[in-house]
Amino acid sequence: MNKALNSSNLRFILLLLILLSNFNSFILLFGIVVFGGILLLLNFTKSNLDERVIFYFGLALMAAAQFLFIYTSDYGKNFIINTSIALLLSCLALLCYLIVKSSVLNMNETFIKKLLNTFFLLNIVAIALQYLWACYQTSSLVPFMVSIPSFGMSTGDHLKGLFVNSSVTMVVMGFYTIYYGVNKNKKVFIAAIAMLLTTYMSGILMFFAVLALFAFFTFSFKNKIKVLIGFLVLFGLLKTFSPHNLSYAEQIIFEKISSRTDPARKVISYQQTLENWISSPKSFLVGEGAGKFSSRAAFITGGEYVDWFPNELVYKSQKFDENHFELWNNRILSIRYKDGTHNQPFSFYNQIIGEFGLTGLLLFALYLFYYIKKWNTLTYGKIILPFMLGVFIYDYWFDYFSIIIFFELFMNLNLKRREVQ
């Protein structure tokens, strides 16, 4: 591919990444359709098609089939809009995958690395400016330590870089930490610090757990020691600059997640999903329908998740209303400290099982099979993939393209040499 086309791809996909990082619904739609369409026109080939396409297309096809042939007793304007939003999200996820795969396959590897480094630099500059603003607001060089409303323990919420919230920043910076670390790039230290600054403790603990397991089973003794030292340094930084967040994480792990008398609502949500899954042959095989049990579409049309959705179009299926909506609504959120990750019913696994059943799980298994069959080709992808599987516990990330598009970007880059061959 010539240099001019590489440069054009770089500019278009960088702009797309910046637009998707905010994931305002209307900006997101504009970015994917306009800039994504341009990128596909420039790069699309038959080699873009693999098992992952079957997964994305399969979910969209299932959403349509559920609507047309299976769950037909609740037809009405609101029901149709709910299904349309769920179907749109599936189609956009497919389009995002095709954009990334085609762009990576057709771009020179040097330009792809330049793209990743450019976005990283922009995000780090944004985080640095936000940190300085937090210091100014709190009159402290360590705003995590102050007792000022919206700062202190919550300071990390303001350090979101180019993204709309710090949890997304943490996951993406986790990808970068793994990518730079495996490639022995000194930017790994900056990426790790940016990840820690978000204080998104659920994601940080998942990152440490995945990396520790990978190091234990695959690293040499010398590298195990290096990882252990790195963990101790990062733990020391958290303990020094954000002790309250670390204490909060310990409390959640030992008092809530493992509690039998007062379990976290995340745990309850999985119990609800499994109980519903085995409640009938239809639920087991095909789920409750896209947007009808646990997904971004279900919460959007549920009426209390976003402010912009019209009240007259509110729709909640009976299964959603009786299960996950009871775990996350305005009544519950009016109580302080009830909105942490451990209390959110959001999870890709709740979505794939609750809305698509066994068929959805088989489609996802096919998606994973693409990476598993190329496992020996992967380097940093061997850590990014299980990390992504871990953070799927926390949200509907296939419905939020700001994380999944970076995941696909890193994974496709790691497989680029094999794809070209």
Side-chain angles (χ1 to χ4, degrees), residues 320-331:
F320 173 59
D321 194 28
E322 293 174 350
N323 289 279
H324 288 191
F325 183 72
E326 281 299 306
L327 303 177
W328 191 262
N329 54 53
N330 288 341
R331 174 180 53 82

Side-chain angles (χ1 to χ4, degrees), residues 123 127 159-161 163 165-174 198:
N123 197 52
I127 291 173
L159 308 180
K160 52 193 177 183
F163 297 96
N165 63 54
S166 59
S167 60
V168 177
T169 305
M170 181 271 135
V171 176
V172 175
M173 288 298 98
T198 65

Side-chain angles (χ1 to χ4, degrees), residues 222-267:
K222 182 179 178 181
N223 287 332
K224 283 184 174 73
I225 296 299
K226 289 181 179 179
V227 170
L228 177 60
I229 293 172
F231 280 1
L232 292 175
V233 170
L234 294 177
F235 179 82
L237 288 172
L238 277 174
K239 190 70 175 177
T240 302
F241 295 104
S242 188
H244 302 302
N245 289 96
L246 201 58
S247 299
Y248 178 72
E250 292 173 355
Q251 177 187 0
I252 295 304
I253 292 172
F254 295 110
E255 295 183 17
K256 283 291 183 184
I257 294 179
S258 59
S259 172
R260 294 185 179 182
T261 57
D262 184 25
R265 293 202 304 278
K266 177 77 76 179
V267 174

